[in-house]
Amino acid sequence: IGVMSARSGARGHHGKQHTNRLMLWVMLLSGAAAVAVLSANRYLLSAHVLDSPIATHDDAQPLNIRIHVADERLLRLVVEECSKREDSVIWLDRQGQLVVQEAVDFKQCPTMDALLPGKDRGLSTCTDMALYVMHAGARIIPLLQAQDMHRYNAGCGAATARLFWHTIYPSFIVDREDVLHMMLVDHNKLLAKDTLLHEHMNVFLCKTRVCQELMRRHVVRMGYSGHVWLMGHSSSDPSVDVRLGVQHKDLSFLHIKGRSSQQHTQQLLRCWVTQPHFPRLTVVGAFAWEEVKMYGDILNVQILPRVNHDTPQDQPPQPLAAGQLRQLQAETPVHIYP
């Protein structure tokens, strides 16, 4: 909670002051020196950019519900706009208001630009990037054409750090030591063709300890100089929408099916049906009847939205409304993401 409050207050004078000071230091130094400063002040990024389970920080404050709710609302606005999968430019102005543009303003140089083509803008991706927009002054931009990339480099130069998400686009790399290159890593989605490009990254940001360990080994094996930091997970807080008086259900589990096979939804279901003494597992996602008919009579498995043998394959059931999903997330004590 303390770390969340530090993140939630980042738009206030305390978090904003720390973040802006850190970024000013970074931009005034060479790339190597900038990494040293970031390393020495990593707790600022952890506390004010992403929720981090690493340690309790001295500047942590009790959770301010009003600020927390306002931050949550803003987070959803940024994520909603980002997840439209358009090649738009998204940032916050000095008043913390959401700004959406059709093209990059080459005279505007934020502290950080997060490269995210429209095709890559899913909910989880946008949630990650939205936190940097809110608390590190980042701007989400699409992939630029060659002529626009030349204008971008000439305009911003070393004034803007560059953040990649899982995929490295070579055109966004500039061969200058005073430009900071960072990569938010999902080790399950790394591309072999990007291996040599990792040499240009000053910092790799990991959300899990598994990722951190694998990337450290990778950096050492390849002889690269990049730093690997554990930033921790963060996500939208569904409890903001929950009506007063709602209590957690008795021990139960929730799993939300994703598009990626890395979610291991089918493996989880197969495991659960072999353990009838397990508490109820609710799985949310779009399923065809053929995928779930074997679980229809299992008492401790619930599939939402419900499907049956009459459900047309070309007409999947309507997904749960956002409010319903958040209510379910808030009421279920344990969430499983294998």
Side-chain angles (χ1 to χ4, degrees), residues 15-275:
K16 192 76 172 181
Q17 179 183 5
H18 278 302
T19 303
N20 287 345
R21 186 187 309 149
L22 171 63
M23 288 304 175
L24 282 174
W25 290 341
V26 168
M27 301 314 159
L28 288 173
L29 299 172
S30 69
V35 172
V37 171
L38 278 174
S39 181
N41 295 274
R42 176 174 53 177
Y43 79 95
L44 292 178
L45 286 176
S46 298
H48 300 292
V49 180
L50 293 178
D51 298 345
S52 174
I54 299 174
T56 300
H57 306 298
D58 294 337
D59 62 351
Q61 303 170 4
L63 179 64
N64 184 312
I65 297 299
R66 180 183 60 81
I67 294 177
H68 176 61
V69 171
D71 269 7
E72 175 62 25
R73 301 297 187 201
L74 180 59
L75 174 66
R76 293 181 188 177
L77 283 177
V78 177
V79 172
E80 180 180 358
E81 186 61 45
C82 172
S83 59
K84 291 179 179 178
R85 296 185 180 273
E86 298 174 352
D87 283 320
S88 55
V89 179
I90 302 172
W91 54 285
L92 301 180
D93 63 18
R94 292 182 180 272
Q95 288 71 45
Q97 299 298 311
L98 179 65
V99 178
V100 182
Q101 298 170 314
E102 293 184 358
V104 172
D105 180 354
F106 296 105
K107 296 180 180 180
Q108 178 193 8
C109 296
T111 56
M112 180 188 302
D113 270 329
L115 179 61
L116 197 61
K119 64 182 180 63
D120 294 336
R121 298 185 183 185
L123 283 175
S124 61
T125 310
C126 289
T127 301
D128 287 339
M129 290 303 191
L131 293 168
Y132 286 89
V133 171
M134 292 172 59
H135 305 298
R139 175 179 65 172
I140 299 175
I141 65 172
L143 193 61
L144 302 176
Q145 299 296 324
Q147 64 273 19
D148 290 333
M149 200 67 228
H150 178 75
R151 292 178 61 194
Y152 176 83
N153 289 330
C156 283
T160 303
R162 307 184 182 198
L163 177 64
F164 298 84
W165 179 85
H166 306 329
T167 301
I168 296 180
Y169 293 91
S171 62
F172 201 52
I173 296 174
V174 61
D175 190 19
R176 290 176 52 169
E177 292 186 355
D178 54 354
V179 176
L180 189 68
H181 295 80
M182 298 182 290
M183 183 178 186
L184 184 59
V185 180
D186 181 341
H187 61 279
N188 289 314
K189 298 179 180 179
L190 287 178
L191 302 176
K193 67 181 181 64
D194 286 346
T195 300
L196 297 180
L197 297 175
H198 293 164
E199 180 182 9
H200 301 279
M201 298 298 108
N202 302 108
V203 183
F204 297 96
L205 306 174
C206 282
K207 297 192 294 183
T208 66
R209 287 180 170 82
V210 172
C211 167
Q212 180 189 31
E213 180 60 27
L214 291 175
M215 288 306 297
R216 280 179 174 171
R217 294 179 187 176
H218 170 64
V219 168
V220 170
R221 183 173 63 252
M222 298 299 295
Y224 295 154
S225 59
H227 296 254
V228 182
W229 295 345
L230 175 65
M231 300 302 290
H233 276 288
S234 189
S235 60
S236 179
D237 180 5
S239 66
V240 168
D241 296 313
V242 177
R243 63 183 182 275
L244 294 177
V246 168
Q247 301 293 323
H248 279 342
K249 296 178 180 177
D250 294 335
L251 185 59
S252 57
F253 296 79
L254 175 68
H255 172 74
I256 299 178
K257 174 191 176 187
R259 297 181 180 180
S260 171
S261 61
Q262 297 291 345
Q263 296 283 66
H264 298 104
T265 299
Q266 288 296 335
Q267 292 93 324
L268 177 63
L269 283 168
R270 288 196 294 269
C271 168
W272 216 267
V273 299
T274 65
Q275 307 295 329

